[in-house]
């Protein structure tokens, strides 16, 4: 019956030290470690389902704006920055402490067991279904042959992993006659696998922690013929660990020469995307590189993945004074499988009058006219552009970052024609149109493609892979490595007559261990100088 430590006045109390010891024992128990591992896995789910601040500031802010109640609440609770939240860090550190506190004592116990002598053979082997046979060898030779068989074959490391630990005693048997007794123990490999598994879990935790501190990741969009320099200001989005410095970025240059997109003629389904580029690293000659889906470019410990592609129509826009107010390519984002794409053109630098903005829809292979036009194929076989024009204040001078793919219409007004209908400009590549009310001209120069790249540098990945492999090996070893004890006895009273040597072999193992019988038979065959059996003999039918 348990007694409440504080129910009786005269009972001794645990005190602060006792409670701390009890808490530490609970935290370092394997049961709590498994519970914490499950909780950590569950806690990581919101990080993959909800938008996260470190990965995408715009998506996270849009989520908060869209969900007026749940968005701010989840943000305050840390669910929009799961892996940087205090509660996730607490679970992580508690699991780490639990594993360390569980493993260190077990390593010490395992080390003591390895150094301890193998237990002696039982005085009687009757309850282990022993097998007895007469050997032509002397007792010493018979036991030595069995010992050689049980300690394993091959080089020393392999023998240590697959063989038995053995001891041989000279003792008095149950009948009072002297005998040699061999005791072989095999089970240390199972516990070693268990320790390797748990040490690998610690290694995985350390690798994940190191990866989050030392890694960086960025996304960049490059138009055909354009270049990207590996600097923070050049990335569209950039995030890095606390211990990674921007000064560590190697200033290589990636130039996109061509993006080759292949589609099936009949269905329009993509068959391949290949980005042909030139990589220039400091102190080295430029070299040609290629990037495909799941085939990144390797550079200075980082990988450059091809994540997406699309069209980036190039425009030249002049204002009412005839000055060039905008010139360059604008990425358009595909909206469907046939690359119907949308984008915006912002023209803040006009000489006179209001700023201009355009919302565009690109049809790579247009069919039909006006509002009924659609794209029927992803390739640019008949490209047509529709642009709706706005004037007013683009909001770029307020210092608030804007999404380059959307147009803030809060201070803009659509330009209308004489019938008070919004003006929609229709263009084809190479065409120039006059803007309404003498506001200038717009020329669609050409239609290059762009490639969206995702660059990642995570020095912990090789360690994660290594620890993942060792954890699987350790787990498999702890589950399938056998635990066996084999005993061999040979009386020495009639040692002068070697033909009279009687060898008895017995084995203990868990009921599911089908290989124990074979090992017993091999030890008996070695002691009796018979050929080594290759497999378990079939049982006789009754």
């Amino acid at each position: 019956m348990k007694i409440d430590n504080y129910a009786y006045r005269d009972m001794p109390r645990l005190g602060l030290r006792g409670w701390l010891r009890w808490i530490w024992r609970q935290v370092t128990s394997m049961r709590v470690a498994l519970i914490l591992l499950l909780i950590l896995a569950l806690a990581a789910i919101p990080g993959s389902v909800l938008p996260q601040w470190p990965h995408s500031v715009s998506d996270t802010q849009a989520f908060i704006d869209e969900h007026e109640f749940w968005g701010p609440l989840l943000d305050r609770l840390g669910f929009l920055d799961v892996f940087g939240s205090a509660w996730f860090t607490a679970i992580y550190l508690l699991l780490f402490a639990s594993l360390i506190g569980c493993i260190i004592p077990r390593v010490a116990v395992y080390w003591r067991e390895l150094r301890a002598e193998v237990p002696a053979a039982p005085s009687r082997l009757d309850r282990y279904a022993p097998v007895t046979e007469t050997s032509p060898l002397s007792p010493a030779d018979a036991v030595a042959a069995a010992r050689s068989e049980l300690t394993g074959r091959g080089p020393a490391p392999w023998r240590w992993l697959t063989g038995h630990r053995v001891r041989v005693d000279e003792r008095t048997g149950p009948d009072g006659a002297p005998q040699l007794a061999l005791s072989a123990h095999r089970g240390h490999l199972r516990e070693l696998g268990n320790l390797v598994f748990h040490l690998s879990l610690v290694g995985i935790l350390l690798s994940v922690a190191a990866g989050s501190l030392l890694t960086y990741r960025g996304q960049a969009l490059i138009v055909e013929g354009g270049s990207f320099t590996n600097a923070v200001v050049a990335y569209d989005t950039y995030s890095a660990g606390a211990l990674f410095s921007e000064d560590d970025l190697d200033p290589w240059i990636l130039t996109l020469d061509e993006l080759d997109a292949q589609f099936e003629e009949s269905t329009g389904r993509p068959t391949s995307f290949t980005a042909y580029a030139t990589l220039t690293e400091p102190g080295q000659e430029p070299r040609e590189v290629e990037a495909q889906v799941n085939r990144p470019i390797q550079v200075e410990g980082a990988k450059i993945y091809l994540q997406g592609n699309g069209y980036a129509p190039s425009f030249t826009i002049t204002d009412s004074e005839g000055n060039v107010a905008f010139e360059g390519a604008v990425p358009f984002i595909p909206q469907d499988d046939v690359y119907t794409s949308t984008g915006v053109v912002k023209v803040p630098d006009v000489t006179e009058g209001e700023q201009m903005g355009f919302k565009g829809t690109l049809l790579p292979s247009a069919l039909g006219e006006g509002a009924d036009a659609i794209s029927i194929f992803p390739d640019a076989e008949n490209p047509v552009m529709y642009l709706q024009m706005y004037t007013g204040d683009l909001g770029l001078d307020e210092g608030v970052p804007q999404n380059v793919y959307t147009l803030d219409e809060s201070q803009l007004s659509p330009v209308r024609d004489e019938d008070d209908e919004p003006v929609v400009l229709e263009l084809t590549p190479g065409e120039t149109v006059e803007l309404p009310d003498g506001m200038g001209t717009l020329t669609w120069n050409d239609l290059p493609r762009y490639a969206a790249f995702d660059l990642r540098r995570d020095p912990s990945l090789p360690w994660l892979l290594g620890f993942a492999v060792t954890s699987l090996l350790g787990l498999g070893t702890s589950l399938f490595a056998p635990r066996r004890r084999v005993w061999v006895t040979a009386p020495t009273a009639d040692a002068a007559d070697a033909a009279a040597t009687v060898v008895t072999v017995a084995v203990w193992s868990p009921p599911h261990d089908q290989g124990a019988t074979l090992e017993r038979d091999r030890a008996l065959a070695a002691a009796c100088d018979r050929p080594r059996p290759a497999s378990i003999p079939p049982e006789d039918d009754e």
Side-chain angles (χ1 to χ4, degrees):
M1 180 180 69
K2 290 186 176 180
I3 299 178
D4 188 348
N5 190 244
Y6 293 92
Y8 300 93
R9 180 179 302 175
D10 297 333
M11 294 294 296
R13 303 192 177 188
L14 288 176
L16 178 61
R17 184 176 179 181
W19 278 112
L20 292 176
R21 184 185 295 111
W22 180 83
I23 292 173
W24 176 249
R25 287 179 179 175
Q26 299 304 311
V27 170
T28 56
S29 66
M30 186 56 62
R31 178 182 66 256
V32 172
L34 293 175
I35 294 174
L36 288 172
L37 188 61
L38 177 61
I39 294 175
L40 187 71
L42 294 175
I45 293 177
S48 60
V49 175
L50 299 173
Q52 302 291 296
W53 284 114
H55 297 158
S56 177
V57 175
S58 59
D59 291 346
T60 307
Q61 186 61 54
F63 177 83
I64 294 176
D65 296 339
E66 183 179 353
H67 303 83
E68 297 181 357
F69 174 76
W70 287 108
L73 178 61
L74 292 174
D75 189 26
R76 285 195 298 271
L77 295 177
F79 283 92
L80 301 185
D81 187 9
V82 169
F83 304 108
S85 63
W87 52 268
F88 187 87
T89 303
I91 297 172
Y92 190 89
L93 293 177
L94 198 59
L95 174 60
F96 186 78
S98 179
L99 288 174
I100 292 294
C102 178
I103 292 172
I104 291 178
R106 293 183 64 176
V107 171
V109 171
Y110 181 66
W111 178 248
R112 288 195 297 268
E113 289 181 352
L114 284 181
R115 299 186 64 185
E117 193 175 14
V118 175
S123 59
R124 304 187 65 91
L125 303 179
D126 299 345
R127 59 194 180 108
Y128 298 107
V131 177
T132 301
E133 189 172 328
T134 301
S135 171
L137 303 177
S138 66
D141 291 341
V143 171
R147 178 172 187 165
S148 178
E149 174 66 30
L150 292 171
T151 52
R153 299 167 179 264
W158 180 251
R159 290 201 308 269
W160 187 88
L161 292 174
T162 60
H164 293 68
R165 297 171 59 220
V166 177
R167 69 176 285 179
V168 178
D169 298 308
E170 295 182 4
R171 67 180 188 182
T172 302
D175 56 356
Q179 67 175 197
L180 291 176
L182 179 147
S183 177
H185 175 226
R186 183 178 181 183
H188 54 278
L189 188 61
R190 191 184 189 96
E191 179 62 16
L192 177 62
N194 201 346
L195 291 175
V196 168
F197 171 70
H198 289 92
L199 287 172
S200 298
L201 289 183
V202 175
I204 290 174
L205 293 177
L206 289 174
S207 299
V208 171
S212 63
L213 294 174
L214 300 173
T215 187
Y216 78 88
R217 179 175 182 178
Q219 290 78 36
L221 188 148
I222 310 177
V223 180
E224 285 179 329
S227 298
F228 168 81
T229 301
N230 187 34
V232 174
V233 295
Y235 283 102
D236 298 326
T237 60
Y238 174 83
S239 61
L243 299 182
F244 184 83
S245 173
E246 298 177 2
D247 298 334
D248 295 332
L249 290 175
D250 194 46
W252 45 262
I253 300 174
L254 184 68
T255 301
L256 180 62
D257 301 321
E258 180 187 1
L259 178 72
D260 182 29
Q262 300 293 330
F263 304 92
E264 291 183 359
E265 291 292 338
S266 57
T267 63
R269 294 179 180 177
T271 57
S272 69
F273 296 110
T274 304
Y276 297 96
T278 300
L279 180 64
T280 304
E281 300 177 80
Q284 299 184 24
E285 293 293 327
R287 58 187 176 95
E288 295 182 354
V289 293
E290 297 179 10
Q292 294 181 336
V293 178
N294 295 326
R295 290 181 57 188
I297 300 171
Q298 304 281 347
V299 53
E300 286 297 326
K303 294 183 178 180
I304 307 174
Y305 292 88
L306 177 62
Q307 291 292 95
N309 67 91
Y311 293 99
S314 175
F315 300 97
T316 299
I317 302 175
T318 62
D319 57 21
S320 58
E321 297 294 323
N323 299 318
V324 175
F326 178 88
E327 186 174 18
V330 180
F332 275 45
I333 306 302
Q335 304 297 316
D336 53 29
D337 293 339
V338 291
Y339 277 55
T340 302
S341 305
T342 60
V344 300
V345 183
K346 302 178 183 181
V347 188
D349 301 323
V350 294
T351 305
E352 290 185 357
E354 296 180 307
Q355 297 176 337
M356 295 182 290
F358 300 85
K359 292 175 62 176
T361 299
L362 170 65
L363 306 178
S365 297
L367 178 66
E369 297 181 356
D372 298 328
I374 60 172
S375 179
I376 59 174
F377 196 74
D379 261 340
E381 297 181 350
N382 181 34
V384 175
M385 175 80 68
Y386 294 92
L387 292 170
Q388 184 176 356
M389 183 176 178
Y390 294 80
T391 57
D393 186 0
L394 295 172
L396 299 177
D397 300 329
E398 299 176 1
V400 179
Q402 288 189 9
N403 190 330
V404 297
Y405 304 110
T406 60
L407 195 65
D408 183 5
E409 302 179 29
S410 60
Q411 302 180 67
L412 296 174
S413 300
V415 177
R416 299 182 179 275
D417 58 16
E418 297 178 354
D419 299 327
D420 200 32
E421 295 292 332
V423 172
V424 178
L425 307 175
E426 180 179 350
L427 298 92
T428 57
E431 184 177 359
T432 300
V433 296
E434 297 285 338
L435 300 179
D437 302 326
M439 287 186 286
T441 62
L442 186 149
T443 302
W444 182 7
N445 301 318
D446 55 8
L447 188 59
R449 289 182 179 271
Y450 70 82
F453 292 100
D454 184 6
L455 185 138
R456 307 176 193 175
R457 178 187 179 274
D458 190 347
S460 68
L461 291 180
W463 294 97
L464 277 173
L465 177 61
F467 285 124
V469 171
T470 55
S471 67
L472 292 177
L473 293 175
L475 181 61
T477 302
S478 66
L479 292 176
F480 300 109
R483 290 186 297 119
R484 299 171 187 161
R485 293 181 183 271
V486 182
W487 301 289
V488 180
T489 62
T492 59
D494 300 327
D497 186 5
T501 301
V502 177
V503 178
T504 302
V505 181
V507 65
W508 173 91
S509 67
H512 62 271
D513 187 359
Q514 300 297 322
T517 302
L518 176 61
E519 199 152 53
R520 181 198 63 188
D521 294 344
R522 286 178 173 174
L524 182 62
C528 295
D529 198 23
R530 289 190 287 103
R532 186 172 186 261
S535 60
I536 302 175
E539 297 182 358
D540 296 333
D541 297 332
E542 295 183 358

